[in-house]
CSV table of all heavy atoms in Angstrom, one decimal:
chain,number,residue,atom,x,y,z
S,1,VAL,N,0.9,-1.2,0.1
S,1,VAL,CA,0.0,0.0,0.0
S,1,VAL,C,0.9,1.3,0.0
S,1,VAL,O,0.7,2.2,-0.7
S,1,VAL,CB,-0.9,0.0,1.2
S,1,VAL,CG1,-1.6,1.4,1.4
S,1,VAL,CG2,-2.0,-1.0,1.1
S,2,LEU,N,1.9,1.3,0.8
S,2,LEU,CA,2.8,2.4,0.9
S,2,LEU,C,3.6,2.6,-0.3
S,2,LEU,O,3.8,3.7,-0.9
S,2,LEU,CB,3.6,2.3,2.2
S,2,LEU,CG,2.9,2.5,3.5
S,2,LEU,CD1,3.9,2.4,4.7
S,2,LEU,CD2,2.3,4.0,3.5
S,3,ALA,N,4.0,1.5,-0.9
S,3,ALA,CA,4.7,1.5,-2.2
S,3,ALA,C,4.0,2.2,-3.3
S,3,ALA,O,4.5,2.9,-4.1
S,3,ALA,CB,5.3,0.2,-2.6
S,4,ALA,N,2.7,1.8,-3.3
S,4,ALA,CA,1.8,2.4,-4.3
S,4,ALA,C,1.7,3.8,-4.2
S,4,ALA,O,1.4,4.5,-5.2
S,4,ALA,CB,0.5,1.7,-4.3
S,5,GLN,N,2.0,4.4,-3.1
S,5,GLN,CA,1.9,5.9,-2.9
S,5,GLN,C,3.2,6.5,-2.9
S,5,GLN,O,3.5,7.7,-2.7
S,5,GLN,CB,1.1,6.1,-1.6
S,5,GLN,CG,-0.2,5.7,-1.5
S,5,GLN,CD,-0.8,6.0,-0.1
S,5,GLN,OE1,-0.2,6.5,0.8
S,5,GLN,NE2,-2.1,5.5,0.0
S,6,GLY,N,4.2,5.7,-3.3
S,6,GLY,CA,5.7,6.2,-3.3
S,6,GLY,C,6.5,6.3,-2.1
S,6,GLY,O,7.4,7.0,-2.1
S,7,TYR,N,6.0,5.5,-1.1
S,7,TYR,CA,6.6,5.6,0.2
S,7,TYR,C,7.2,4.2,0.5
S,7,TYR,O,6.8,3.1,0.1
S,7,TYR,CB,5.6,5.8,1.3
S,7,TYR,CG,5.1,7.3,1.3
S,7,TYR,CD1,3.8,7.5,1.0
S,7,TYR,CD2,5.9,8.3,1.9
S,7,TYR,CE1,3.3,8.9,1.0
S,7,TYR,CE2,5.4,9.6,1.9
S,7,TYR,CZ,4.1,9.8,1.5
S,7,TYR,OH,3.5,11.1,1.6
S,8,THR,N,8.3,4.3,1.4
S,8,THR,CA,8.7,3.2,2.1
S,8,THR,C,8.0,3.3,3.5
S,8,THR,O,7.6,4.4,3.9
S,8,THR,CB,10.3,3.2,2.3
S,8,THR,OG1,10.7,4.3,3.1
S,8,THR,CG2,11.0,3.0,1.0
S,9,VAL,N,8.1,2.2,4.3
S,9,VAL,CA,7.5,2.3,5.7
S,9,VAL,C,8.3,3.4,6.4
S,9,VAL,O,7.8,4.3,7.1
S,9,VAL,CB,7.5,1.0,6.4
S,9,VAL,CG1,7.1,1.2,7.8
S,9,VAL,CG2,6.5,0.1,5.7
S,10,ALA,N,9.7,3.3,6.3
S,10,ALA,CA,10.5,4.3,7.1
S,10,ALA,C,10.3,5.7,6.6
S,10,ALA,O,10.3,6.7,7.4
S,10,ALA,CB,11.9,3.9,7.1
S,11,GLY,N,10.1,5.9,5.3
S,11,GLY,CA,9.9,7.2,4.8
S,11,GLY,C,8.6,7.8,5.3
S,11,GLY,O,8.6,9.1,5.5
S,12,TRP,N,7.6,7.0,5.2
S,12,TRP,CA,6.2,7.5,5.7
S,12,TRP,C,6.3,7.9,7.2
S,12,TRP,O,5.8,9.0,7.6
S,12,TRP,CB,5.2,6.3,5.5
S,12,TRP,CG,4.0,6.9,5.9
S,12,TRP,CD1,3.0,7.6,5.0
S,12,TRP,CD2,3.2,6.7,7.0
S,12,TRP,NE1,1.9,7.9,5.7
S,12,TRP,CE2,1.9,7.3,7.0
S,12,TRP,CE3,3.5,6.1,8.3
S,12,TRP,CZ2,1.0,7.4,8.0
S,12,TRP,CZ3,2.6,6.0,9.3
S,12,TRP,CH2,1.4,6.7,9.2
S,13,ILE,N,6.9,7.1,8.0
S,13,ILE,CA,7.1,7.4,9.4
S,13,ILE,C,7.9,8.7,9.6
S,13,ILE,O,7.5,9.6,10.4
S,13,ILE,CB,7.7,6.3,10.2
S,13,ILE,CG1,6.8,5.0,10.2
S,13,ILE,CG2,8.1,6.7,11.6
S,13,ILE,CD1,7.5,3.7,10.8
S,14,ARG,N,9.0,8.7,9.0
S,14,ARG,CA,9.9,10.1,9.0
S,14,ARG,C,9.0,11.3,8.6
S,14,ARG,O,9.1,12.3,9.2
S,14,ARG,CB,11.0,9.9,8.2
S,14,ARG,CG,12.0,11.1,8.3
S,14,ARG,CD,13.3,10.8,7.5
S,14,ARG,NE,13.1,10.3,6.1
S,14,ARG,CZ,13.4,9.1,5.7
S,14,ARG,NH1,13.8,8.2,6.6
S,14,ARG,NH2,13.1,8.8,4.7
S,15,GLU,N,8.3,11.2,7.5
S,15,GLU,CA,7.4,12.4,7.0
S,15,GLU,C,6.4,12.6,8.1
S,15,GLU,O,6.1,13.9,8.4
S,15,GLU,CB,6.7,12.0,5.7
S,15,GLU,CG,5.9,13.1,5.2
S,15,GLU,CD,5.4,12.8,3.8
S,15,GLU,OE1,6.2,12.6,2.9
S,15,GLU,OE2,4.1,12.9,3.7
S,16,GLN,N,5.7,11.7,8.8
S,16,GLN,CA,4.8,11.9,9.7
S,16,GLN,C,5.4,12.6,10.9
S,16,GLN,O,4.9,13.5,11.5
S,16,GLN,CB,4.0,10.7,10.2
S,16,GLN,CG,3.3,10.0,9.1
S,16,GLN,CD,2.2,10.9,8.5
S,16,GLN,OE1,1.4,11.5,9.1
S,16,GLN,NE2,2.4,11.0,7.2
S,17,ARG,N,6.6,12.1,11.4
S,17,ARG,CA,7.3,12.8,12.4
S,17,ARG,C,7.7,14.2,12.1
S,17,ARG,O,7.5,15.0,13.2
S,17,ARG,CB,8.5,11.9,12.8
S,17,ARG,CG,8.2,10.6,13.5
S,17,ARG,CD,9.4,9.8,13.7
S,17,ARG,NE,9.1,8.7,14.5
S,17,ARG,CZ,9.8,7.7,14.8
S,17,ARG,NH1,11.2,7.7,14.5
S,17,ARG,NH2,9.5,6.7,15.5
S,18,LEU,N,8.1,14.5,11.1
S,18,LEU,CA,8.6,15.8,10.7
S,18,LEU,C,7.3,16.8,10.6
S,18,LEU,O,7.4,17.9,11.0
S,18,LEU,CB,9.3,15.8,9.4
S,18,LEU,CG,10.8,15.2,9.4
S,18,LEU,CD1,11.3,15.1,8.0
S,18,LEU,CD2,11.6,16.1,10.3
S,19,ALA,N,6.3,16.3,10.2
S,19,ALA,CA,5.0,17.1,10.0
S,19,ALA,C,4.6,17.4,11.5
S,19,ALA,O,4.2,18.6,11.6
S,19,ALA,CB,3.9,16.3,9.2
S,20,ARG,N,4.7,16.5,12.4
S,20,ARG,CA,4.2,16.8,13.7
S,20,ARG,C,5.3,17.9,14.4
S,20,ARG,O,4.8,18.7,15.2
S,20,ARG,CB,4.2,15.6,14.5
S,20,ARG,CG,2.9,14.8,14.2
S,20,ARG,CD,2.9,13.4,14.6
S,20,ARG,NE,1.5,12.7,14.5
S,20,ARG,CZ,1.2,12.3,13.3
S,20,ARG,NH1,2.0,12.4,12.3
S,20,ARG,NH2,0.0,11.7,13.2
S,21,CYS,N,6.5,17.7,14.1
S,21,CYS,CA,7.5,18.7,14.6
S,21,CYS,C,7.2,20.0,13.9
S,21,CYS,O,7.2,21.2,14.7
S,21,CYS,CB,8.9,18.3,14.1
S,21,CYS,SG,9.5,16.8,15.0
S,22,ARG,N,6.9,20.2,12.7
S,22,ARG,CA,6.5,21.4,12.1
S,22,ARG,C,5.4,22.1,12.8
S,22,ARG,O,5.3,23.2,13.0
S,22,ARG,CB,6.3,21.2,10.6
S,22,ARG,CG,6.1,22.5,9.8
S,22,ARG,CD,5.9,22.2,8.3
S,22,ARG,NE,6.0,23.4,7.6
S,22,ARG,CZ,5.7,23.4,6.2
S,22,ARG,NH1,5.3,22.3,5.6
S,22,ARG,NH2,5.8,24.5,5.6
S,23,ARG,N,4.4,21.2,13.0
S,23,ARG,CA,3.2,21.8,13.7
S,23,ARG,C,3.5,22.4,15.1
S,23,ARG,O,3.1,23.4,15.4
S,23,ARG,CB,2.2,20.6,13.9
S,23,ARG,CG,0.8,21.1,14.4
S,23,ARG,CD,0.0,19.9,15.0
S,23,ARG,NE,0.7,19.1,16.1
S,23,ARG,CZ,0.6,17.9,16.2
S,23,ARG,NH1,-0.3,17.2,15.7
S,23,ARG,NH2,1.2,17.3,17.2
S,24,ASP,N,4.4,21.6,15.9
S,24,ASP,CA,4.8,22.0,17.1
S,24,ASP,C,5.5,23.2,17.1
S,24,ASP,O,5.5,24.1,18.0
S,24,ASP,CB,5.5,20.9,17.9
S,24,ASP,CG,4.7,19.7,18.4
S,24,ASP,OD1,3.5,19.7,18.2
S,24,ASP,OD2,5.3,18.8,19.1
S,25,LEU,N,6.5,23.4,16.2
S,25,LEU,CA,7.3,24.6,16.0
S,25,LEU,C,6.4,25.8,15.7
S,25,LEU,O,6.7,27.0,16.0
S,25,LEU,CB,8.4,24.3,15.0
S,25,LEU,CG,9.4,23.4,15.3
S,25,LEU,CD1,10.3,23.0,14.1
S,25,LEU,CD2,10.3,23.9,16.4
S,26,ALA,N,5.3,25.6,15.1
S,26,ALA,CA,4.4,26.7,14.9
S,26,ALA,C,3.4,27.1,15.9
S,26,ALA,O,2.7,28.0,15.9
S,26,ALA,CB,3.5,26.3,13.6
S,27,ASP,N,3.5,26.1,17.0
S,27,ASP,CA,2.6,26.4,18.2
S,27,ASP,C,3.2,27.4,19.2
S,27,ASP,O,4.2,26.9,19.9
S,27,ASP,CB,2.2,25.0,18.8
S,27,ASP,CG,1.2,25.2,19.9
S,27,ASP,OD1,0.9,26.2,20.4
S,27,ASP,OD2,0.8,24.1,20.3
S,28,PRO,N,2.7,28.5,19.4
S,28,PRO,CA,3.3,29.4,20.4
S,28,PRO,C,3.3,28.8,21.7
S,28,PRO,O,4.1,29.3,22.6
S,28,PRO,CB,2.4,30.6,20.3
S,28,PRO,CG,1.6,30.6,19.1
S,28,PRO,CD,1.6,29.1,18.8
S,29,ALA,N,2.5,28.0,22.1
S,29,ALA,CA,2.4,27.5,23.4
S,29,ALA,C,3.5,26.4,23.7
S,29,ALA,O,3.9,26.1,24.8
S,29,ALA,CB,1.1,26.6,23.5
């Protein structure tokens, strides 16, 4: 399923982690 979307499992996990970091960096709290 992930390969069909152009991801490896590790790549998908890394992308999700970085997206959450980006969200946290944008949070003034």
Side-chain angles (χ1 to χ4, degrees):
V1 168
L2 290 175
Q5 296 177 5
Y7 288 105
T8 62
V9 173
W12 183 83
I13 291 169
R14 183 176 44 256
E15 184 175 299
Q16 297 304 305
R17 288 177 175 176
L18 289 171
R20 284 166 175 79
C21 291
R22 187 178 192 189
R23 182 196 64 205
D24 285 359
L25 290 167
D27 185 349

